[in-house]
Amino acid sequence: SPEDMSRSENDRPLLIDRIDEEEEERAYDETEKVHIVRDEDDNERDLEYGVGCGGAPPFSWRKLWLFTGPGFLMSIAFLDPGNLEGDLQAGAVAGYSLLWLLMWATAMGLLVQLLSARLGVATGRHLAELCREEYPTWAGMVLWVMAELALIGSDIQEVIGSAIAIKILTNGLLPLWAGVIITALDCFVFLFLENYGIRKLEAVFAVLIGTMAVAFAWMFGQAKPSGSELLVGILVPKLSSRTIQKAVGVVGCIIMPHNVFLHSALVQSREVNKRQKYRVQEAINYYTIESTIALIVSFVINLFVTTVFAKGFYNTDLADSIGLVNAGQYLQDKYGGGLFPILYIWGIGLLAAGQSSTITGTYAGQFIMGGFLNFKMKKWLRALITRSCAIIPTIIVALVFDSSEATLDVLNEWLNVLQSIQIPFALIPLLCLVSKEQIMGSFKIGPFYQTIAWLVAALVIMINGYLLLEFFSSEVSGVIYTGFVTVFTASYGAFIVYLIARGINFTPWHFKSES
């Protein structure tokens, strides 16, 4: 209508007019989405203001409950076995002194995840889909490969963590490789649960997060850490030459590349009318609240783990040798048995962390593959493909390293490096996209928010760069290896510069198609 034609581009925040939209792979079908119940005030608002109205409706507890779910699925990446290992090592080596950094690293992670959610809600597309649309084919393929490598590296750690937990809970009866195969079956559990709707799946993850909270809180209560030292650790920043590497590790493992892709897709599981700006703003507001609550819960769980190991192993001979493989036995030796031996409590918490994170990894893999490649295939087949990409190398790892804790720790370091390399390839496209008015419309982030977001991204990238430099300087030697690392570093830097430059000059596809 003429009235619609007269609307400015600023009032068109949403990418909804794609010519071949019905042919595209979508994160969720309309029948799968959670229906958001409308209040009577909402209907009056529609009649009074129409589709272009901007402010969100008043707060509703009922609606917050309906929007709750995606943030908690996202928060599981902050609780995976890799993060738990970083927590326990930070506690053992640095005591309570890095708790402040854990808190601020979680806050930085929250900022990134809120941007990811904002992108998904405002555009109706997730990050992988937008990368396919906004970057040339060759760059999109590179981003896809990088995202898949990050996912595989994360998944190996998560599956190994689950397998270690299964080995603990069976008193070593099941070897590591058997635990890997059992964990691989979560793919089919995921498919089974997904048939019953997204809310049922979210309820299962809530149970797993609750299991972690109870298990690690029980350990926290048994360890009886110092309340005053804990409070000082949270409020007073402190670093030393001995703890700097663990500090870098705490920040480096918080932002997971695949989780940035995942959250932008999860938020599309709710029914939001993209033509009504106030509906979009309402969804962004509720997702902000529930994501903040979810990451507060994850911070508390991480804090429990860090303080238990700080209390038990800080300033001891075991501090530098403790890792995910031997942590349970060290806890048992330190705190003893009792009615519920702490070894098994640790195993239960670790199993919940591993199982929940591997299932979300499968979920993320589906969105990443579907978004970048625009494949339309049955969900069970796509889940099987994404699962196999991680399970096959994980079984090989389990068979080779089952009896060697030291070698498994070295492998874990390499996997951390693999994921650190990928971080710019999720953060940079995200920040470029949410800063563009042509893509986000009136929901683009403002100059202040952009400055903070880019500073956080630069800090995270520099910290991971430091990790890479430290790792390669100690692990790589010889002319051939040095030459390879030099060429790789130059190519890596050039691609990052390209992503930033290309992001500045985006020409969104919805303008192209309309013109």
Side-chain angles (χ1 to χ4, degrees):
S1 68
E3 182 181 352
D4 290 337
M5 292 292 289
S6 65
R7 293 173 61 198
S8 69
E9 295 297 345
N10 280 354
D11 291 332
R12 303 187 56 183
L14 313 162
L15 308 185
I16 55 178
D17 297 322
R18 182 84 192 264
I19 292 173
D20 58 347
E21 182 174 328
E22 69 279 0
E23 299 176 4
E24 283 199 320
E25 175 68 20
R26 309 301 294 170
Y28 295 93
D29 295 332
E30 290 301 320
T31 55
E32 296 176 314
K33 294 183 178 181
V34 176
H35 176 66
I36 304 300
V37 178
R38 296 163 61 89
D39 300 328
E40 289 185 12
D41 291 343
D42 294 341
N43 295 326
E44 294 176 3
R45 189 183 184 87
D46 289 349
L47 291 173
E48 182 176 356
Y49 295 105
V51 298
C53 122
F59 176 81
S60 163
W61 287 105
R62 185 185 186 188
K63 285 187 179 179
L64 177 60
W65 171 249
L66 291 172
F67 277 103
T68 297
F72 282 89
L73 265 69
M74 168 273 294
S75 73
I76 286 168
F78 291 70
L79 298 168
D80 70 356
N83 275 287
L84 296 184
E85 184 166 38
D87 293 338
L88 65 90
Q89 289 176 341
V93 172
Y96 302 93
S97 66
L98 295 182
L99 291 179
W100 67 275
L101 190 60
L102 176 63
M103 180 180 69
W104 285 107
T106 304
M108 289 192 293
L110 174 62
L111 172 67
V112 172
Q113 296 303 150
L114 291 181
L115 291 177
S116 177
R118 189 183 192 89
L119 179 73
V121 174
T123 65
R125 281 177 150 70
H126 57 80
L127 182 57
E129 291 175 317
L130 288 168
C131 286
R132 186 189 77 237
E133 296 292 346
E134 303 300 341
Y135 288 100
T137 302
W138 70 269
M141 288 296 99
V142 173
L143 290 172
W144 170 62
V145 170
M146 292 298 185
E148 291 287 358
L149 287 175
L151 181 60
I152 290 171
S154 173
D155 216 7
I156 289 175
Q157 289 179 314
E158 293 158 358
V159 172
I160 290 292
S162 285
I164 291 171
I166 291 171
K167 189 174 181 179
I168 289 172
L169 295 173
T170 59
N171 280 324
L173 185 64
L174 292 178
L176 211 57
W177 63 266
V180 168
I181 293 174
I182 292 172
T183 305
L185 297 177
D186 68 20
C187 171
F188 302 101
V189 174
F190 162 74
L191 290 170
F192 174 76
L193 293 172
E194 200 177 25
N195 289 330
Y196 288 90
I198 185 66
R199 294 295 274 176
K200 302 293 191 302
L201 186 65
E202 290 169 352
V204 170
F205 283 112
V207 170
L208 291 171
I209 293 173
T211 302
M212 280 185 270
V214 171
F216 297 138
W218 187 92
M219 290 169 51
F220 180 84
Q222 184 150 330
K224 298 181 176 63
S226 167
S228 59
E229 289 185 60
L230 188 153
L231 196 60
V232 169
I234 292 175
L235 299 178
V236 181
K238 187 188 301 182
L239 276 177
S240 67
S241 57
R242 187 168 183 267
T243 62
I244 185 67
Q245 191 168 8
K246 294 303 176 187
V248 169
V250 166
V251 179
C253 68
I254 282 293
I255 297 178
M256 310 289 284
H258 73 273
N259 207 39
V260 179
F261 287 97
L262 175 65
H263 200 199
S264 64
L266 290 174
V267 295
Q268 294 175 46
S269 61
R270 269 52 179 178
E271 189 180 74
V272 178
N273 188 340
K274 301 295 190 298
R275 293 184 180 276
Q276 294 175 315
K277 289 175 62 179
Y278 79 93
R279 291 287 179 200
V280 178
Q281 187 61 56
E282 177 185 54
I284 291 172
N285 293 348
Y286 283 121
Y287 281 135
T288 299
I289 295 170
E290 71 110 15
S291 296
T292 303
I293 295 171
L295 288 195
I296 288 173
V297 172
S298 75
F299 166 70
V300 172
I301 293 174
N302 283 313
L303 181 143
F304 285 158
V305 176
T306 303
T307 51
V308 165
F309 285 87
K311 171 68 174 178
F313 304 101
Y314 179 54
N315 276 337
T316 67
D317 295 336
L318 299 175
D320 291 319
S321 62
I322 197 165
L324 205 61
V325 177
N326 55 23
Q329 192 57 53
Y330 283 179
L331 285 170
Q332 185 73 6
D333 295 341
K334 178 69 178 179
Y335 296 108
L339 183 61
F340 298 105
I342 197 169
L343 172 66
Y344 298 118
I345 299 297
W346 165 253
I348 290 170
L350 182 59
L351 182 63
Q355 287 294 328
S356 58
S357 55
T358 52
I359 297 175
T360 52
T362 302
Y363 220 8
Q366 291 191 81
F367 292 132
I368 289 170
M369 179 179 287
F372 275 111
L373 304 183
N374 199 21
F375 276 170
K376 294 186 73 67
M377 64 173 66
K378 294 185 181 297
K379 286 188 176 181
W380 68 266
L381 180 59
R382 191 167 58 186
L384 190 61
I385 292 172
T386 55
R387 205 83 204 93
S388 300
C389 289
I391 291 299
I392 292 173
T394 307
I395 291 176
I396 295 171
V397 166
L399 289 171
V400 173
F401 300 130
D402 193 9
S403 59
S404 175
E405 293 181 6
T407 314
L408 201 57
D409 287 339
V410 171
L411 172 72
N412 192 55
E413 290 179 10
W414 277 96
L415 292 174
N416 286 336
V417 168
L418 178 65
Q419 292 171 79
S420 296
I421 289 173
Q422 320 303 329
I423 285 179
F425 306 130
L427 281 185
I428 293 173
L430 173 66
L431 296 185
C432 289
L433 288 164
V434 295
S435 302
K436 282 295 179 181
E437 187 174 353
Q438 300 96 321
I439 293 171
M440 298 289 290
S442 58
F443 295 104
K444 75 161 190 169
I445 58 175
F448 177 75
Y449 203 171
Q450 285 184 41
T451 302
I452 298 297
W454 278 105
L455 286 175
V456 167
L459 178 62
V460 172
I461 291 171
M462 285 191 295
I463 285 173
N464 282 277
Y466 172 82
L467 275 177
L468 296 176
L469 184 63
E470 285 285 306
F471 180 79
F472 282 120
S473 63
S474 61
E475 295 289 333
V476 176
S477 59
V479 176
I480 295 177
Y481 285 117
T482 303
F484 172 77
V485 170
T486 302
V487 172
F488 173 80
T489 303
S491 304
Y492 180 78
F495 190 58
I496 289 175
V497 171
Y498 168 79
L499 289 177
I500 296 173
R502 183 71 176 80
I504 294 172
N505 298 303
F506 275 152
T507 306
W509 55 258
H510 74 291
F511 280 177
K512 298 175 190 173
S513 62
E514 287 170 1
S515 64

